[in-house]
Amino acid sequence: MATSTAGTAGATGTPGTTGTATGSPRPMRADARRNYERLLAEARTAFAEHGTDASLEEIARRSGVGIGTLYRHFPNRHAMMSAVFQEALASLLQRSRELASAEQPCGALVEWLRAIITHAGEYRGLARALMSASHDQSSALSECSVPMRDAGERLLVRAQQGGAVRADVSIGDLMQLTNAIALAAEQDPDDPELADRLLMLTLRGLKPDTT
């Protein structure tokens, strides 16, 4: 697998664009756009079937392109995972905006954290990769964490201001906890209620001490 983290066409930016020497985007050629879209579609399928450690060579083969073409669009596995996760990311950010004015701030936070766990569990290996990327700013996946943290921070602050969550709880800790719960659920697929039980146990520990 290639280890370069330099940005290339469509890796983590706007689909259908590629970078120029000055960093400004320009539209992809039609054939490059088709290759990008085929690669992304096959990556979604492969990750769903085999997890995020699916063979990139096989993804390229099923897309009808060479491995060099894959790496021109996605310089490494995390870049491809980031692109695959963009749809879920957009959905999570939209849901956070909808919950921002909910009457029950704590309930809104819980619902959003539950949605994160659900999305992280869509592809085997994604939760582990998201946990790792949170400590690696060079990872393409780390670009997903910034808007997620900002969205979660707003919901967390509302819950804290309402007295439902301790003031010393950070959004970084919550994001790591949700990924850990998703990972635990991934390891025990025969217990579909495990993730929700673990989330509820976690949230009990977030409540302020009333004694």
Side-chain angles (χ1 to χ4, degrees), residues 8-10 13-30 32-33:
T8 61
T14 302
T17 63
T18 184
T20 66
T22 60
S24 59
R26 65 170 183 246
M28 283 187 192
R29 296 194 325 249
R33 181 190 293 272

Side-chain angles (χ1 to χ4, degrees), residues 12-14 16 24 30 43 53 59 67 93 103 108 113-114 117-118 142 156 159 177-179 196 205:
T12 56
T14 302
S24 59
D53 60 349
I59 291 172
I67 190 64
L93 295 180
E103 292 185 7
L113 293 176
R114 186 177 285 119
I117 293 170
T118 298
S142 70
L156 172 60
L177 282 169
T178 54
N179 285 324
D196 210 55

Side-chain angles (χ1 to χ4, degrees), residues 2-211:
T3 57
S4 169
T5 56
T8 61
T12 56
T14 302
T17 63
T18 184
T20 66
T22 60
S24 59
R26 65 170 183 246
M28 283 187 192
R29 296 194 325 249
D31 58 339
R33 181 190 293 272
R34 285 194 296 271
N35 287 340
Y36 175 86
E37 291 174 350
R38 282 200 299 266
L39 284 163
L40 195 53
E42 290 297 342
R44 289 193 184 101
T45 299
F47 289 169
E49 291 176 351
H50 307 294
T52 56
D53 60 349
S55 167
L56 299 187
E57 288 78 6
E58 179 64 14
I59 291 172
R61 187 192 67 78
R62 288 168 58 170
S63 301
V65 302
I67 190 64
T69 296
L70 181 148
Y71 283 132
R72 281 195 294 275
H73 289 287
F74 307 100
N76 51 50
R77 187 178 297 273
H78 274 194
M80 177 168 277
M81 290 168 63
S82 178
V84 167
F85 193 57
Q86 288 305 307
E87 185 175 346
L89 175 62
S91 174
L92 288 168
L93 295 180
Q94 174 60 31
R95 189 64 187 130
S96 74
R97 289 189 288 269
E98 294 169 353
L99 291 168
S101 58
E103 292 185 7
Q104 298 294 329
C106 186
L109 177 63
V110 171
E111 182 174 339
W112 193 68
L113 293 176
R114 186 177 285 119
I116 292 178
I117 293 170
T118 298
H119 282 295
E122 287 182 351
Y123 303 106
R124 189 175 69 252
L126 178 59
R128 185 186 300 278
L130 289 170
M131 291 178 72
S132 175
S134 68
H135 302 293
D136 181 7
Q137 295 303 309
S138 67
S139 169
L141 270 176
S142 70
E143 295 183 11
C144 297
S145 68
V146 175
M148 289 277 284
R149 282 172 179 263
D150 290 344
E153 181 77 27
R154 290 188 288 271
L155 296 176
L156 172 60
V157 168
R158 287 191 73 227
Q160 289 171 324
Q161 291 174 340
V165 177
R166 288 169 20 205
D168 62 343
V169 175
S170 73
I171 189 58
D173 289 344
L174 281 184
M175 298 295 285
Q176 287 292 70
L177 282 169
T178 54
N179 285 324
I181 290 171
L183 181 58
E186 176 186 304
Q187 300 301 314
D188 193 0
D190 294 330
D191 186 353
E193 305 300 323
L194 176 61
D196 210 55
R197 291 202 310 275
L198 292 176
L199 178 60
M200 291 300 102
L201 284 171
T202 297
L203 292 172
R204 289 188 192 122
L206 302 181
K207 292 181 178 180
D209 189 353
T210 57
T211 59

